[in-house]
Amino acid sequence: MQSWVLGPIGVNAEHRVTRAGCRTVLVMVPTTAAGHRLLDVTQLLEADHRIQVVFTVPEGTEHWQGPEDFVRARHGLLVPWPQAVQNRFDVILSASHREIDRVHGNLVVLPHGVGAGKALFHSRKAAGATIATTGFDRELLTYRGRVLPEAVVLHHDDELATLRDRCAEALPKAVVAGDICLDRMIASRQLREEYRRALGVRTGQRLITVSSTWSSSATFGRCFGLYRALLDEARPADCRVAAVLHPKAWEVHGRWQIQAWLADCVRDGLLLIPPEEGWRATMIASDWVIGDHGSTTVYPAALGIPVSLATFPDHAVRADSAAAHLADWAPRLHFDAPLLPQYAAAKARQPGSGRRLAAHVTSRPGQAAAVLRSVLYRLLDLAEPDTRARVVPVPRPRPLPFHQ
């Protein structure tokens, strides 16, 4: 049994702390992907000495590999799950619905990708699912007739209709905040050349990034030979190739296995971006992104970066999702022809398509930090700082070294 943490929560905490009287925020990190989005939000609380942030990894029937390492790598105070559910917190942040009925405090639920409406009709976690699912379903947001979150964060006004249809009783808790991930990427575009230098991309070189979500319908699952094919074409053409995989691919197969599968490609120059951080900076540094229906393909397209689709599950994607709007204009990659010349088709996409896609991703461009901070301080019952809520650029990317 994991020992409980003698930290700033629980019985006699007032005798252990150095900063007394802080409001406490619990950050629930069930997966690395959720952790990414939650750290975007916790940055809004930095430098406020009235607030203490702690982390926990929910336990249950599912347990993904990696979240504990994700928290520890950032030196967060990790509270064991059995201890977390025995305490009350002023605010609880979650980018997942797992185990949210077991925690106590003002719960804020956020999407961890491009919107909570989701790109796919059915959950990838439910084998043989026949009922369409969203992040707004009643069974996710309520427990015994009670709406669990105090705030349900939406990226877009259009999602209000879905929430009304799926769980009308949660509508008073809805907050249309916009997309803080996209806002951070937009704020980071000024650092594009710095990101390219960090990746070792020289002036005049083209950076091609292969993006993959998780599941067998993703780029990594369907088009594994793409990495080698691009490398073979890229070397004489003076291009670099990077690989971005959804964190759940790393968590399911294991870090060692992903690196082992791609070891020969990394040895020959593939820039393998780790799951903890770096994918956003890599996308901003890219000249061309090849991907699928996942968020890591949608976001660069919304920034106006040329995108081609290596694979796309047309039959399973919601017609009103951002991924579907991307598929309306992004060219499909042809594997029976040379790959590099197909960059021209991606670059010649419909004028303004990236801007229109961004409008499907968020209806509050540039406002997410301010809206989310206001919600958090209202629930914390604290006055907001006088300073403006900052949108912080994303860190420099650090590709993984060759794995032997």
Side-chain angles (χ1 to χ4, degrees):
M1 180 178 176
Q2 189 177 0
S3 299
W4 284 26
V5 171
L6 291 176
I9 60 172
V11 177
N12 295 324
E14 67 275 12
H15 300 300
R16 297 190 291 268
V17 298
T18 303
R19 284 287 303 173
C22 289
R23 302 287 201 272
T24 55
V25 175
L26 177 69
V27 182
M28 296 173 63
V29 187
T31 65
T32 302
H36 279 299
R37 187 55 58 101
L38 294 169
L39 286 184
D40 286 346
V41 179
T42 57
Q43 286 183 343
L44 303 174
L45 305 175
E46 288 180 351
D48 194 324
H49 302 169
R50 301 170 296 173
I51 300 171
Q52 163 81 55
V53 177
V54 300
F55 300 80
T56 192
V57 175
E59 297 175 0
T61 56
E62 292 182 346
H63 183 73
W64 296 92
Q65 301 297 318
E68 292 95 343
D69 294 339
F70 178 85
V71 174
R72 290 193 177 99
R74 285 150 181 81
H75 307 288
L77 180 61
L78 187 59
V79 176
W81 178 244
Q83 182 179 3
V85 298
Q86 292 296 321
N87 283 271
R88 175 169 288 276
F89 300 88
D90 295 291
V91 164
I92 301 167
L93 297 176
S94 180
S96 166
H97 300 93
R98 283 186 52 197
E99 309 296 332
I100 60 173
D101 60 305
R102 298 187 59 192
V103 290
H104 308 285
N106 293 317
L107 176 66
V108 179
V109 174
L110 305 104
H112 65 261
V114 179
K118 301 185 180 297
L120 299 179
F121 284 116
H122 306 302
S123 171
R124 286 173 286 197
K125 300 176 184 178
T130 56
I131 300 174
T133 58
T134 73
F136 301 131
D137 296 345
R138 181 171 286 105
E139 61 266 30
L140 298 177
L141 296 177
T142 66
Y143 181 70
R144 293 182 176 175
R146 176 174 64 93
V147 176
L148 295 169
E150 281 300 315
V152 181
V153 176
L154 284 62
H155 288 173
H156 205 286
D157 291 315
D158 291 349
E159 294 175 319
L160 288 167
T162 305
L163 180 61
R164 184 180 296 108
D165 178 61
R166 295 290 182 142
C167 187
E169 57 268 44
L171 203 58
K173 308 293 187 180
V175 176
V176 182
D179 190 324
I180 195 167
C181 178
L182 181 60
D183 287 353
R184 288 193 70 189
M185 293 180 77
I186 291 172
S188 302
R189 287 189 294 192
Q190 61 184 328
L191 301 176
R192 182 174 188 269
E193 293 305 318
E194 181 179 327
Y195 296 152
R196 288 172 70 85
R197 286 193 295 269
L199 291 166
V201 179
R202 301 191 309 270
T203 301
Q205 283 188 315
R206 183 185 302 164
L207 176 60
I208 306 166
T209 298
V210 180
S211 164
S212 179
T213 187
W214 65 288
S215 83
S216 58
S217 63
T219 306
F220 192 73
R222 296 285 300 275
C223 312
F224 187 80
L226 177 60
Y227 304 94
R228 169 52 58 190
L230 282 170
L231 286 172
D232 290 344
E233 289 191 36
R235 278 178 289 188
D238 204 23
C239 296
R240 297 298 306 271
V241 181
V244 168
L245 279 71
H246 193 286
K248 281 187 178 177
W250 295 84
E251 291 169 347
V252 168
H253 294 288
R255 193 183 187 102
W256 182 93
Q257 186 63 74
I258 295 292
Q259 290 187 263
W261 277 333
L262 291 171
D264 62 325
C265 293
V266 174
R267 182 189 58 225
D268 291 343
L270 179 70
L271 302 167
L272 181 58
I273 308 304
E276 296 83 13
E277 187 53 83
W279 72 266
R280 291 180 288 197
T282 302
M283 294 304 177
I284 293 165
S286 298
D287 299 288
W288 184 21
V289 174
I290 300 173
D292 49 33
H293 58 287
S295 296
T296 54
T297 306
V298 173
Y299 279 123
L303 292 177
I305 297 168
V307 167
S308 297
L309 296 174
T311 182
F312 195 87
D314 295 273
H315 64 286
V317 173
R318 293 180 182 279
D320 59 346
S321 67
H325 288 291
L326 169 62
D328 285 341
W329 55 263
R332 306 297 173 103
L333 201 67
H334 299 288
F335 291 90
D336 55 353
L339 299 173
L340 294 190
Q342 297 181 54
Y343 168 67
K347 193 173 182 181
R349 64 194 182 282
Q350 300 171 13
S353 54
R355 186 170 57 254
R356 288 193 295 273
L357 181 62
H360 286 293
V361 173
T362 175
S363 57
R364 300 287 188 279
Q367 300 178 42
V371 175
L372 288 172
R373 193 179 76 168
S374 177
V375 171
L376 294 178
Y377 276 86
R378 172 175 60 82
L379 296 177
L380 287 166
D381 195 23
L382 289 174
E384 276 193 74
D386 294 332
T387 56
R388 183 179 179 181
R390 292 183 61 224
V391 180
V392 183
V394 300
R396 291 189 299 272
R398 293 183 174 85
L400 293 170
F402 173 58
H403 172 71
Q404 293 181 311

